[in-house]
């Protein structure tokens, strides 16, 4: 294979489904009958209760390329992956795949739960055309990467979800297919595995393997992929560099959600969403986000000032109380932790509101959650929540137009000079 060879080519791909199960089964029987008898059926026209899950999708993936696939839930991503994997047939268009393809599109997909991990590994290898001798060599690498050596002869159904993810990913990458499809696998499992999986994918790219990576984590897609496909309602909304396409996706998501967003979180939500509360002592009653001018907002630009206001009630007298918040990105990793505010005993009475202003925030575009934490002076927790509210940093097209990368979570002011 040459360096610029196209391994996956999709032309005019369309797929339709039926909204009603009984009608879908009836259509399926009729379509099978039509195929058996050789009679033609109109694949283009929608029948009653049918809709296009994908319509006129075109793209290609070249050798050694890591391409992102993004879109909202229901955009058609999973349907496209199933078509590429050969699990379902298209109604229109064609898919050309040159080489072996391995897909990780669901937890435990391709594994028989009653068989052991060892048996499943050999079966997966046989399906991809590997001999037993080749698998005898590969299984050592698979066990080590998945960190399941001592559990290799246990049935897969007894594995935790994290172990299944590690096994599935390890089988896929160590059997070295020509094309690897990864759907949200890197969002599951502990931080150590996610880091190891990303490094392995980078290693695969250098060896010439092509990867189609599907994720809702725009920062991850932007940092790992060079090109991206954005699906919207079954159609390709954009194809281009990952920075530009993820920025457009975030901007579209923000615009659609603006009308439904609330600018103030109320007590019942704030108390039930927390994972630790002491409601007979402390209540978080309201949380508000404001711009520098004091207007309620959930949308900001990089370098805007952001004001966070917390209204709380103390039901019993307390000594000193410590307050803090953090900002988390989509997969719940902490991006920023605030300094702590110390309230003295005179402030810890009745209902008060405290406000913290983030001066000239340096967050890159994306959606962020706000965690809030309160404890007494002895370290006893009064309130803990990873998400009392959320906000969005809008895409800054001027940064993209200058050719700057949108990788990472924050921008930094730097000064370059020649020494």
């Amino acid at each position: 294979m040459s360096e610029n060879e196209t391994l996956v080519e999709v032309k005019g791909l369309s797929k339709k489904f039926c909204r009603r199960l009984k009608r879908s089964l009836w259509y399926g029987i009729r379509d099978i009958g039509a195929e058996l008898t050789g009679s033609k059926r109109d694949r283009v026209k929608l029948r009653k209760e049918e809709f296009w899950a994908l319509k006129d999708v075109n793209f290609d993936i070249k050798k050694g390329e890591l391409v992102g696939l993004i879109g909202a839930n229901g955009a058609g991503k999973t349907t496209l992956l199933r078509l590429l994997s050969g699990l379902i047939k298209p109604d229109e268009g064609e898919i050309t795949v040159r080489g072996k393809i391995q897909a990780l599109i669901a937890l435990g997909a391709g594994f028989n739960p009653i068989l052991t991990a060892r048996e499943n590994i050999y079966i997966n290898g046989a399906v991809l055309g590997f001999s037993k001798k080749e698998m005898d060599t590969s299984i050592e690498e698979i066990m080590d990467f998945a960190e399941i050596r001592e559990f290799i002869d246990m049935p897969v159904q007894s594995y935790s979800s994290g172990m299944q993810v590690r096994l599935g990913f390890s089988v896929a990458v160590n059997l070295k297919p020509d094309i690897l499809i990864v759907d949200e696998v890197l969002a599951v499992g502990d931080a150590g595995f996610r880091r190891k999986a990303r490094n392995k994918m980078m290693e695969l790219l250098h060896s010439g393997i092509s990867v189609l990576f599907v994720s809702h984590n725009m920062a991850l897609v932007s940092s790992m992929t060079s090109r991206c496909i954005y699906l919207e309602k079954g159609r390709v909304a954009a194809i281009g560099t990952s920075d530009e396409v993820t920025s457009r996706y975030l901007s579209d998501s923000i615009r659609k959600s603006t009308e439904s967003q609330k600018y103030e979180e109320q007590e019942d939500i704030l108390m039930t969403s927390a994972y630790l509360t002491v409601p007979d002592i402390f209540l978080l009653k309201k949380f508000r986000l404001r711009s520098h001018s004091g207007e309620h907002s959930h949308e900001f630009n990089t370098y805007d000032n952001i004001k966070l206001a917390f209204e709380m009630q103390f039901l019993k007298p307390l000594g000193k109380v410590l307050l803090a918040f953090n900002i988390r990105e989509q997969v719940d990793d902490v991006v920023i932790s605030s300094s702590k505010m110390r309230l003295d005993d005179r402030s810890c009475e009745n209902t008060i509101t405290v406000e913290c202003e983030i001066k000239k925030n340096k967050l890159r575009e994306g959606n962020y959650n706000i965690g809030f934490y309160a404890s007494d002076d002895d370290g006893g927790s009064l309130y803990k929540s990873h998400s009392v509210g959320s906000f969005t940093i809008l895409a800054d097209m001027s940064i993209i137009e200058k050719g700057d990368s949108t990788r990472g979570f924050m921008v930094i002011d730097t000064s370059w000079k020649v020494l």
Side-chain angles (χ1 to χ4, degrees):
M1 293 184 183
S2 64
E3 287 296 324
N4 294 322
E5 182 177 358
T6 300
L7 296 188
V8 179
E9 191 172 8
V10 175
K11 293 182 179 179
L13 189 66
S14 299
K15 180 64 182 178
K16 57 187 177 181
F17 292 114
C18 183
R19 293 183 177 88
R20 305 289 181 182
L21 177 60
K22 289 184 178 180
R23 192 175 294 275
S24 176
L25 293 172
W26 170 238
Y27 288 157
I29 293 171
R30 288 176 58 184
D31 292 344
I32 292 171
E35 288 186 12
L36 291 174
T37 58
S39 59
K40 293 183 178 179
R41 67 182 181 92
D42 190 354
R43 290 178 176 266
V44 179
K45 185 178 179 182
L46 290 176
R47 296 170 289 193
K48 187 176 180 181
E49 300 287 353
E50 285 188 327
F51 67 96
W52 289 111
L54 286 176
K55 185 65 176 174
D56 195 26
V57 173
N58 299 274
F59 67 91
D60 58 55
I61 301 175
K62 298 188 181 300
K63 181 181 178 182
E65 190 176 23
L66 202 164
V67 178
L69 178 62
I70 62 175
N73 291 329
K77 302 188 298 298
T78 301
T79 300
L80 177 57
L81 299 188
R82 288 175 177 170
L83 286 164
L84 291 173
S85 303
L87 299 177
I88 55 177
K89 293 182 178 180
D91 288 301
E92 282 186 286
E94 59 183 37
I95 302 171
T96 303
V97 177
R98 300 177 180 92
K100 297 175 182 177
I101 189 166
Q102 179 81 326
L104 285 169
I105 59 177
L107 182 64
F111 293 143
N112 186 323
I114 64 173
L115 298 181
T116 67
R118 187 189 300 276
E119 291 166 336
N120 274 291
I121 291 169
Y122 276 95
I123 290 171
N124 271 266
V127 170
L128 286 174
F130 290 93
S131 67
K132 184 178 183 301
K133 185 177 180 180
E134 289 173 317
M135 291 306 302
D136 288 340
T137 303
S138 298
I139 196 167
E140 294 297 319
E141 296 179 32
I142 292 170
M143 286 190 295
D144 290 338
F145 188 91
E147 300 170 6
I148 58 164
R149 180 177 290 275
E150 60 183 302
F151 310 110
I152 191 68
D153 292 311
M154 287 176 57
V156 170
Q157 65 184 1
S158 63
Y159 280 21
S160 67
S161 59
M163 292 172 70
Q164 289 186 44
V165 167
R166 295 203 304 270
L167 176 61
F169 188 85
S170 183
V171 170
V173 298
N174 283 290
L175 292 183
K176 297 179 176 61
D178 299 298
I179 305 117
L180 177 64
I181 298 174
V182 184
D183 182 10
E184 292 286 13
V185 170
L186 300 189
V188 184
D190 57 40
F193 172 75
R194 293 202 303 267
R195 196 160 42 245
K196 186 161 71 168
R198 292 173 201 172
N199 292 339
K200 187 65 176 181
M201 285 180 64
M202 293 298 106
E203 181 185 318
L204 291 176
L205 287 179
H206 292 305
S207 68
I209 292 175
S210 300
V211 180
L212 180 62
F213 178 55
V214 188
S215 179
H216 288 282
N217 185 339
M218 294 304 105
L220 192 57
V221 171
S222 182
S223 65
M224 290 189 62
T225 65
S226 57
R227 197 159 61 93
C228 194
I229 303 163
Y230 169 20
L231 286 181
E232 185 177 29
K233 296 181 179 179
R235 296 178 181 270
V236 175
I239 297 181
T241 64
S242 296
D243 288 347
E244 293 176 344
V245 175
T246 54
S247 295
R248 176 172 169 178
Y249 171 75
L250 287 170
S251 297
D252 289 349
S253 300
I254 293 160
R255 187 176 64 252
K256 292 171 186 175
S257 63
T258 297
E259 294 181 359
S260 61
Q261 275 192 321
K262 295 180 179 180
Y263 295 112
E264 186 173 287
E265 296 292 351
Q266 301 295 338
E267 177 185 340
D268 56 343
I269 299 173
L270 293 169
M271 294 304 290
T272 55
S273 66
Y275 66 90
L276 188 151
T277 62
V278 187
D280 57 336
I281 298 177
F282 177 91
L283 296 175
L284 182 61
K285 298 183 72 65
K286 291 180 183 178
F287 168 72
R288 295 179 292 275
L289 283 164
R290 300 179 189 272
S291 65
H292 181 64
S293 61
E295 296 178 351
H296 290 296
S297 181
H298 275 265
E299 296 178 1
F300 304 92
N301 292 303
T302 303
Y303 299 121
D304 281 352
N305 288 6
I306 303 175
K307 293 183 178 180
L308 299 85
F310 304 89
E311 182 181 317
M312 60 200 74
Q313 182 179 7
F314 296 95
L315 304 178
K316 292 182 180 180
L318 288 173
K320 295 176 181 178
V321 171
L322 299 176
L323 306 176
F325 71 88
N326 59 33
I327 295 176
R328 296 168 173 264
E329 52 86 46
Q330 291 174 318
V331 294
D332 215 28
D333 290 333
V334 176
V335 178
I336 296 173
S337 292
S338 74
S339 57
K340 293 181 179 180
M341 180 179 186
R342 186 183 296 269
L343 297 176
D344 58 30
D345 53 0
R346 288 174 295 178
S347 300
C348 301
E349 295 179 359
N350 301 320
T351 300
I352 65 167
T353 299
V354 298
E355 183 178 85
C356 181
E357 184 172 15
I358 303 173
K359 300 282 189 179
K360 295 183 178 180
N361 89 84
K362 295 182 179 180
L363 293 168
R364 290 193 182 275
E365 65 217 50
N367 299 314
Y368 297 91
N369 293 324
I370 300 164
F372 181 70
Y373 312 91
S375 61
D376 60 30
D377 199 35
D378 295 325
S381 296
L382 301 172
Y383 181 92
K384 287 185 177 182
S385 174
H386 289 337
S387 183
V388 296
S390 62
F391 66 93
T392 299
I393 299 295
L394 301 174
D396 188 342
M397 296 309 295
S398 65
I399 294 177
I400 296 169
E401 288 167 2
K402 289 177 183 177
D404 295 338
S405 172
T406 57
R407 291 173 171 85
F409 300 115
M410 300 182 71
V411 297
I412 56 173
D413 296 322
T414 55
S415 177
W416 292 80
K417 63 180 180 180
V418 178
L419 300 176

